């Protein structure tokens, strides 16, 4: 069942829906975007608190909306469902006739479903995001209440800017979510990581000796904002995916100074270009890993135009070690893409990406075990599956284990494993932000087989039966519980 008012016209429409549902609190006193907002938000997230609208930030010219995706309930609301599993189930049902084979087949099937069940973005001539226009010397990024989240951060960052680029040769669009460090009143550092599609676009532009046009949309409707974070392959358009999630086309408008399109109902849009070969030091930045990422050279965006709605709202996010607001975004991706992972690896029953593992350090996977070393086969398949290739630790359990019950998973992983035989060690790519790997971008990985072992795997002792109470006694105690006076 879709949430009331879904799909939302824009960010303000979503904020109104959150307020009606008691999921938004307005902060009417002045609050400093340097560190103070971060501490307030972090405490709110860890208390499972509401979305926040800071109406009077002491820097910038607009209110700050934050913690919009901080719970699974609000993330489901943002995507118009009661449960995040609903979207995955829709995709799973529609993929059944496709019978894709392998990763390319799965993603090809997904693309066909998107095209059949949705519509491409809709181009409009006029847009709310261009009600106010600043060009050239009038551009001033200080109008935005960007945050300094942690004391050691290298300055002000804009943490929810939806970044649009096109492949210089094919024209294929990419939408990504990258942090943006404010270098000056009209320049930004583009922290797009080595595994990201926009990095590939920039590399081609530099090889050709061309500027790369870039457009950044801040404060989009929540479905578009989520789609920017989804781990889609390069050949699947994020706006087609957003249209599928919304159930209607996303309205887009031509930018004023670059050959790109942006969501017509964004709150703020920044237009500019990257000069080939130009880099500036970016960072440090307190990231979702819980540690500061070091200073590295990254491309520089020169902002030539800044457009916005009248009375815009600035959307951002706080990053820190878990729990933090990105929990809702990570869980949405886990649930939405579950049937796709099962199509790629049919052995999988369910999986969980723990927030404490920042969603790419650990995967807990249940399988219907059928043959020797089945768990190891699944581990290797996961390490070959798109962005799941960055997973550092995979724990495989039997299908009767609830992968979302971490106590039960720990019971299996601690008790069902002979670490001389059931531990698979390998090496492969890791996340750009991983600080533990001895070499940047690659490092060690481990797979733990916590399934029941078979005689054909060399286990000859006879696997013991786990203790369970009889259904009759359970029913008896249920009926008499009040009598016991406990």
């Amino acid at each position: 069942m879709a949430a009331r008012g879904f799909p939302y016209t824009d960010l303000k429409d979503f904020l109104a829906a959150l307020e009606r549902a008691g999921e938004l609190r307005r902060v009417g006193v002045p609050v400093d975007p340097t560190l103070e907002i971060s501490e307030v938000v972090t405490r709110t997230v860890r208390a499972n608190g509401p979305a926040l609208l800071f109406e009077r930030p002491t820097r910038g010219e607009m209110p700050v909306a934050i913690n919009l995706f901080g719970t699974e309930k609000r993330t489901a609301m943002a995507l118009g469902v009661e449960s995040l599993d609903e979207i995955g189930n829709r995709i799973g049902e529609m993929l059944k006739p496709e019978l894709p084979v392998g990763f390319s087949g799965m993603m090809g099937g997904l693309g066909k479903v998107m095209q059949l069940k949705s519509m491409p973005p809709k181009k409009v001539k006029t847009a709310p995001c261009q009600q106010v226009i600043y060009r050239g010397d009038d551009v001033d990024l200080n109008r935005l209440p960007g945050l300094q989240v942690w004391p050691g951060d290298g300055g002000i960052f804009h943490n929810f800017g939806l970044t649009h680029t096109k492949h210089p040769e094919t024209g294929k669009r990419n939408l990504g979510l990258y942090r943006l460090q404010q270098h000056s009143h009209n320049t930004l550092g583009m922290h797009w990581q080595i595994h990201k599609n926009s990095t590939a676009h920039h590399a081609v532009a530099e090889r050709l000796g061309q500027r790369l046009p870039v457009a950044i949309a801040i404060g989009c409707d929540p479905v578009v904002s989520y789609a920017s974070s989804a781990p889609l392959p390069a050949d699947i358009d994020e706006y087609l995916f957003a249209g599928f999630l919304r159930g209607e086309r996303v309205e887009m408008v031509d930018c004023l100074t670059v050959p790109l399109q942006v969501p017509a109902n964004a709150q703020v849009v920044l237009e500019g270009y990257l000069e080939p070969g130009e880099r500036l030091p970016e960072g440090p930045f307190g990231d979702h890993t819980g540690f500061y990422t070091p200073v590295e050279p990254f491309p520089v965006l020169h902002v030539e135009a800044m457009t916005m709605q009248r009375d815009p709202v600035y959307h951002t996010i706080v990053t820190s070690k878990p729990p933090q607001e990105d929990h809702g975004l990570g869980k949405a991706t886990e649930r939405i893409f579950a049937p796709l992972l099962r199509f790629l690896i049919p052995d999988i029953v369910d999986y969980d990406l723990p927030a404490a593992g920042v969603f790419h350090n650990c995967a807990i996977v249940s399988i219907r075990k059928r043959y020797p070393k089945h768990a190891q086969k699944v581990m290797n398949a996961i390490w070959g599956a798109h962005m799941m290739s960055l997973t550092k630790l995979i724990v495989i359990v039997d299908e009767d284990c609830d992968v979302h019950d971490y106590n039960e998973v720990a019971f299996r992983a601690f008790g069902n494993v002979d670490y001389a035989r059931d531990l698979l060690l390998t090496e492969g790519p890791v996340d750009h932000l991983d600080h533990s790997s001895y070499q940047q971008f690659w490092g060690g990985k481990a797979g733990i087989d916590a399934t029941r072992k078979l005689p054909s795997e060399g286990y000859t002792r006879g696997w013991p039966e786990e203790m369970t109470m009889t259904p009759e006694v359970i029913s008896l105690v249920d009926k008499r519980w009040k009598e016991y006076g406990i």
Side-chain angles (χ1 to χ4, degrees):
M1 180 187 296
R4 178 186 171 192
F6 184 83
Y8 310 105
T9 303
D10 63 4
L11 173 61
K12 295 175 186 173
D13 192 20
F14 179 50
L15 293 175
L18 289 176
E19 193 162 34
R20 287 193 299 269
E23 288 286 336
L24 175 73
R25 294 292 183 274
R26 295 174 180 265
V27 180
V29 298
V31 185
D32 193 343
T34 299
L35 304 182
E36 188 179 6
I37 283 181
S38 171
E39 179 64 15
V40 173
V41 172
T42 298
R43 294 188 189 192
T44 303
V45 169
R46 291 176 182 174
N48 205 35
L52 300 173
L53 184 64
F54 292 93
E55 297 179 308
R56 297 171 62 192
T58 58
R59 178 162 38 76
E61 300 177 355
M62 57 196 74
V64 176
I66 200 164
N67 196 27
L68 306 188
F69 300 98
T71 64
E72 291 183 45
K73 176 182 178 181
R74 280 201 298 281
T75 303
M77 240 185 110
L79 300 179
V81 293
E82 293 290 330
S83 165
L84 294 172
D85 282 308
E86 291 178 33
I87 300 170
N89 292 340
R90 282 168 54 199
I91 293 175
E93 285 299 314
M94 288 184 290
L95 275 175
K96 280 183 180 178
E98 298 291 332
L99 297 177
V101 177
F103 180 73
S104 61
M106 179 189 72
M107 287 305 168
L110 174 60
K112 291 175 185 176
V113 168
M114 296 297 113
Q115 292 165 11
L116 289 171
K117 300 295 181 179
S118 181
M119 291 180 286
K122 175 183 178 182
K123 182 179 176 181
V124 296
K125 294 183 178 180
T126 60
C129 71
Q130 295 174 346
Q131 290 171 339
V132 179
I133 299 170
Y134 300 99
R135 297 175 187 256
D137 292 340
D138 293 328
V139 169
D140 186 0
L141 296 173
N142 294 310
R143 290 188 171 92
L144 306 177
L147 304 187
Q148 180 179 345
V149 174
W150 296 104
D153 284 355
I156 293 171
F157 287 82
H158 306 281
N159 293 336
F160 223 110
L162 278 58
T163 301
H164 300 72
T165 59
K166 278 186 179 179
H167 192 288
E169 293 177 325
T170 68
K172 179 68 178 177
R173 171 173 53 210
N174 183 68
L175 171 65
L177 181 62
Y178 317 111
R179 75 181 191 229
L180 308 163
Q181 182 172 1
Q182 186 170 317
H183 290 317
S184 72
H185 74 285
N186 64 353
T187 58
L188 293 168
M190 306 295 297
H191 188 273
W192 44 39
Q193 299 159 25
I194 191 171
H195 304 107
K196 305 299 184 181
N197 294 325
S198 289
T199 307
H201 291 184
H202 186 226
V204 173
E206 289 198 312
R207 175 171 55 80
L208 298 172
Q210 299 176 358
R211 288 177 167 181
L212 182 70
V214 177
I216 296 168
I218 298 173
C220 297
D221 86 73
V223 172
V224 170
S225 293
Y226 167 71
S228 72
S229 75
L232 296 171
D235 58 348
I236 296 180
D237 186 274
E238 286 83 3
Y239 283 103
L240 200 60
F241 183 56
F244 166 76
L245 296 177
R246 286 170 54 88
E248 67 178 39
R249 299 164 72 179
V250 178
E251 292 189 347
M252 308 282 286
V253 68
D254 286 338
C255 290
L256 302 180
T257 63
V258 293
L260 297 166
Q261 293 183 341
V262 290
N265 291 297
Q267 300 294 303
V268 177
V269 175
L270 309 176
E271 303 177 10
Y273 62 88
L274 307 180
E275 287 283 6
E278 184 181 16
R279 303 288 191 280
L280 280 178
E282 194 271 357
F285 179 75
D287 221 311
H288 67 284
T289 60
F291 297 88
Y292 289 104
T293 51
V295 175
E296 294 182 88
F298 276 93
V300 180
L301 176 65
H302 297 264
V303 182
E304 294 195 315
M306 181 177 186
T307 72
M308 60 186 69
Q309 293 193 21
R310 297 186 189 94
D311 302 318
V313 175
Y314 177 83
H315 178 209
T316 190
I317 191 170
V318 164
T319 54
S320 77
K321 70 178 181 181
Q324 195 47 267
E325 178 183 350
D326 58 0
H327 168 82
L329 295 170
K331 280 297 170 184
T333 292
E334 175 197 290
R335 293 296 90 201
I336 290 171
F337 287 86
L340 299 175
L341 191 62
R342 282 193 288 265
F343 265 103
L344 173 62
I345 311 170
D347 321 71
I348 291 176
V349 174
D350 199 2
Y351 80 124
D352 183 279
L353 303 176
V358 295
F359 299 105
H360 53 71
N361 282 340
C362 178
I364 302 165
V365 180
S366 59
I367 65 170
R368 190 171 294 111
K369 187 171 178 176
R370 295 186 291 112
Y371 47 79
K373 299 300 180 181
H374 196 167
Q376 286 78 358
K377 180 256 191 183
V378 172
M379 294 171 195
N380 286 299
I382 292 171
W383 281 321
H386 192 43
M387 296 306 287
M388 292 292 289
S389 65
L390 303 180
T391 308
K392 293 203 296 182
L393 174 64
I394 300 174
V395 181
I396 307 290
V397 294
D398 287 300
E399 64 178 310
D400 62 347
C401 178
D402 180 358
V403 294
H404 310 294
D405 182 344
Y406 298 154
N407 286 330
E408 178 65 18
V409 171
F411 174 74
R412 308 284 181 113
F414 298 161
N416 281 7
V417 179
D418 177 341
Y419 283 95
R421 294 174 176 267
D422 303 330
L423 178 66
L424 176 64
L425 297 177
T426 187
E427 291 181 333
V430 298
D431 189 78
H432 188 130
L433 303 178
D434 189 282
H435 62 278
S436 66
S437 58
Y438 283 56
Q439 300 291 327
Q440 192 175 28
F441 308 132
W442 65 275
K445 297 166 180 285
I448 296 175
D449 179 2
T451 63
R452 299 176 181 88
K453 305 309 179 297
L454 305 173
S456 51
E457 292 176 301
Y459 186 89
T460 58
R461 298 173 57 197
W463 197 262
E465 180 183 355
E466 187 175 341
M467 300 170 298
T468 58
M469 184 51 67
T470 64
E472 293 79 12
V473 172
I474 292 173
S475 177
L476 171 67
V477 172
D478 284 343
K479 292 176 182 176
R480 298 196 60 195
W481 188 254
K482 290 183 179 179
E483 294 182 44
Y484 304 143
I486 298 173

